[in-house]
Amino acid sequence: MIIYGIESFDMEIIRQMKKSSSGNYIEKCKMNLLRTIDIGITPLINIILFHPSATKASVIKTINETLFFIQRGTRVGLNILVEILKAQKLAGMFVLMISW
């Protein structure tokens, strides 16, 4: 199994998360998933459904794309909600320092 942290299939959410500024990020993710399935490996995708900047349209888009991949055998880890905290970057740096 390979785990992909796609988070959302809506590019605006991806930008808000500062995950990628590449316009073709989502298409690359989808192609990687399809290739993974084609070679016989089960992918698991992590999805964050209700990011603080999510709209009804972004949630529907992410659900529809996720269902497309579920129908092809993809497993899904679903995080319903995330909360953005002021010290988020500091906390991330702390976790990185501990794991290093």
Side-chain angles (χ1 to χ4, degrees):
M1 180 183 303
I2 295 177
I3 301 172
Y4 294 103
I6 293 175
E7 320 308 358
S8 176
F9 285 101
D10 184 271
M11 196 58 212
E12 185 53 35
I13 300 295
I14 298 301
R15 283 190 189 102
Q16 290 287 326
M17 295 175 73
K18 295 182 175 35
K19 189 159 180 89
S20 175
S21 59
S22 169
N24 61 351
Y25 169 81
I26 292 173
E27 289 307 312
K28 285 181 180 179
C29 289
K30 289 163 54 172
M31 291 305 300
N32 284 337
L33 285 170
L34 291 172
R35 287 183 192 134
T36 302
I37 293 166
D38 286 347
I39 62 172
I41 298 173
T42 301
L44 183 145
I45 56 175
N46 286 319
I47 297 293
I48 298 172
L49 201 51
F50 295 104
H51 185 271
S53 63
T55 63
K56 181 179 177 182
S58 70
V59 171
I60 290 170
K61 181 176 186 168
T62 295
I63 289 171
N64 287 336
E65 293 283 356
T66 301
L67 288 172
F68 172 84
F69 286 103
I70 288 172
Q71 292 169 344
R72 282 147 187 82
T74 300
R75 297 179 69 189
V76 176
L78 182 63
N79 296 303
I80 302 295
L81 175 68
V82 295
E83 181 179 356
I84 297 176
L85 304 173
K86 288 182 179 181
Q88 182 177 1
K89 288 184 181 180
L90 180 61
M93 288 173 27
F94 182 68
V95 169
L96 181 63
M97 289 183 339
I98 290 174
S99 62
W100 188 73

